[in-house]
Each structure stands twice: as C-alpha cells, then as structure tokens.
Amino acid sequence: MSRQLISSGSPFEAQVGYSRAVVQGDWCFVAGTTGTDPETKTMPEDVVEQGRNALKVIGKALEDAGFAFADVVRVTYYITDAAYWDVMGEIAGPVFGDIRPAASCVIAGLVKPEMKIEIEVTAFKG
C-alpha cells in the first residue's frame, strides 16, 4: 500500500515536519488547517472568512490527493471562542450540509493569537 504526501507549500510544513495531507490506501488525512488566505497569505480577522479559507485549502489538498469533500467522513473544528459555534453554519453548512460527516468541535488555544479556527478532515474512498 503506497503512501502519498500532499503539500500546500506552507513554510510550516518543512519547519515542523508535516504534510498538508497524507493518503494511505483508501484514506486521506488532512492536517489541521487555519484560516490564512491562500492567495494573499494574510490572516483575516473574521472567523467566518478564516473558516472559508481553511476549507479552500482543505478542498485543494483533497483534490490533489484524488479525493473530494463528498469523501469526507470525519471533521474536527477547533475554535478559540465558544461564541464562534454560532457561525459554524455559515462556515461548514455550504460544504458539509448534504455530506454530513461525523464531527467534533473543540474550544482550544491555537498557535497564534490571530488564529480563530482550525479544521481537519479525514476522507475515505472504498
């Protein structure tokens, strides 16, 4: 069973020693992804915009790995403030509304203070 490593080009991948995604057999594991704008490389202040950016990066990683959002079976959201739960529908609803993967949400501190949300997914094709 071959292992495929997917990179998004983030400098943190080489610094810390991780891949944006790892494909192992029928599984794709996408690393926790924060809300940096993939084009401008800036972090917006709005949590909804951060979440949408994270999902853009995740979508690209899934595509590069030969997967799609429809293959996602598990999603974990890490938010820095419980109040952000109130806008999760704006972030996740358009992407996961019909897919309905198993989901968890954890309130946690993130690596940098401007980060408000981090999202990770697991996808399966079998």
Side-chain angles (χ1 to χ4, degrees):
M1 189 179 311
S2 67
R3 179 181 171 117
Q4 179 185 5
L5 305 179
I6 305 296
S7 174
S8 65
S10 166
F12 296 118
E13 293 172 16
Q15 267 180 350
V16 180
Y18 75 95
S19 295
R20 173 62 46 213
V22 175
V23 178
Q24 187 75 43
D26 291 337
W27 293 91
C28 180
F29 303 91
V30 181
T33 305
T34 59
T36 301
D37 184 297
E39 284 83 43
T40 66
K41 306 299 184 206
T42 61
M43 182 70 70
E45 289 203 23
D46 180 62
V47 68
V48 173
E49 202 173 337
Q50 285 190 25
R52 289 177 179 156
N53 286 341
L55 289 170
K56 280 182 202 170
V57 173
I58 290 168
K60 174 84 168 75
L62 287 168
E63 182 182 319
D64 290 351
F67 288 75
F69 278 117
D71 300 314
V72 172
V73 295
R74 179 99 176 128
V75 60
T76 304
Y77 304 100
Y78 300 92
I79 55 177
T80 59
D81 186 324
Y84 297 152
W85 178 251
D86 296 337
V87 297
M88 286 306 296
E90 292 178 57
I91 297 167
V95 174
F96 294 121
D98 292 333
I99 301 164
R100 299 184 57 178
S104 298
C105 184
V106 178
I107 300 164
L110 296 178
V111 176
K112 296 187 177 196
E114 64 270 20
M115 296 174 174
K116 297 177 179 178
I117 187 168
E118 184 170 332
I119 304 170
E120 68 180 15
V121 304
T122 302
F124 178 75
K125 284 195 313 189

